[in-house]
Amino acid sequence: MSTIDIESDEYKKQFLHEATQLAIESVEKGWGGPFGAVIVKDGKVIGRGQNRVLLTGIPVFHAEVTAIMDATARLNDKALLGSDVYDGTLEMIPRPAGSPDPVPERAKMLKGCDLYVNGAPCPMCMSAIYWARIDRVYFGTRLSDTSKIGFDDEFQYIDFKLPWEERKAIKCYPDFERDYALKACQAWENKKDRHPY
């Protein structure tokens, strides 16, 4: 009996192929753009997502985001919020050595998982990937590839590097009513039973 090497590129290709098939299905059914994603833990798919912006009219219904929601619902008891099962806490793990994060531990989320997506993540999806604490991202096409078919996300990455006041895509007004808005930060800081995530 042969052993399957789940770290081999040959094994991993199946996940990128599945993500691409999800993307093709989304296009063929008119659900959204040509993007599909799968999340894998220990060699098994635990989350799937497709771009469904056209189906829902929701601009954040991207493949990576929906795959993260699917996988998280399967792994975390948070999906049981409001039931007698959920105790209000998320599993915590220590931050890796060398991390710039000042908090010593964070919620596990999707740590230990990999994401496969047929196209390079847009900035929103990449942020979601960071927040989900996914270990590795494998993507097939580059931003320049999808730009050629009308999905130009590269300008957002460029715009994000500019100071708030110099951004070109959206006018930003930092420090608007800052003193009042800081009350929310103070409420979090003063909460004795706050749960970092």
Side-chain angles (χ1 to χ4, degrees):
M1 184 172 169
S2 65
T3 322
I4 298 172
D5 180 7
I6 64 172
E7 289 301 319
S8 73
D9 284 347
E10 281 306 308
Y11 186 77
K12 293 174 185 176
K13 284 180 187 179
Q14 70 179 310
F15 304 122
L16 197 286
H17 292 188
E18 181 174 347
T20 302
Q21 288 303 309
L22 288 168
I24 293 168
E25 179 184 39
S26 181
V27 170
E28 289 175 347
K29 292 190 174 183
W31 292 340
F35 304 100
V38 297
I39 296 179
V40 176
K41 182 175 178 58
D42 300 326
K44 292 185 169 73
V45 174
I46 61 161
R48 291 176 174 82
Q50 294 169 290
N51 184 293
R52 293 193 174 183
V53 172
L54 295 175
L55 179 69
T56 64
I58 301 170
V60 297
F61 220 119
H62 288 201
E64 299 93 326
V65 171
T66 56
I68 288 168
M69 291 166 61
D70 186 33
T72 303
R74 293 172 196 268
L75 291 184
N76 295 326
D77 287 339
K78 185 70 174 168
L80 302 172
L81 182 64
S83 73
D84 292 337
V85 177
Y86 182 64
D87 67 1
T89 60
L90 296 171
E91 179 183 353
M92 302 297 284
I93 58 171
R95 294 299 284 170
S99 171
D101 190 340
V103 179
E105 61 179 12
R106 292 281 184 188
K108 183 177 180 181
M109 301 298 185
L110 296 177
K111 189 77 180 145
C113 297
D114 297 334
L115 180 129
Y116 294 81
V117 59
N118 65 296
C122 74
M124 175 190 70
C125 291
M126 199 66 221
S127 291
I129 292 164
Y130 275 96
W131 285 118
R133 295 184 183 79
I134 290 172
D135 290 356
R136 298 178 285 199
V137 179
Y138 298 87
F139 56 92
T141 61
R142 297 174 182 216
L143 291 172
S144 57
D145 296 320
T146 52
S147 177
K148 291 175 188 172
I149 60 168
F151 295 92
D152 189 3
D153 297 323
E154 191 168 15
F155 83 90
Q156 294 172 9
Y157 280 108
I158 293 166
D159 212 36
F160 287 170
K161 292 179 184 177
L162 298 173
W164 290 110
E165 298 85 355
E166 295 176 26
R167 295 195 180 180
K168 295 174 176 52
I170 297 174
K171 285 283 188 198
C172 296
Y173 301 91
D175 298 328
F176 182 76
E177 284 294 296
R178 181 173 184 265
D179 289 340
Y180 188 78
L182 280 171
K183 291 180 180 187
C185 295
Q186 293 163 356
W188 176 258
E189 192 173 37
N190 294 337
K191 184 173 174 55
K192 302 234 184 300
D193 63 344
R194 70 178 178 261
H195 189 306
Y197 60 91

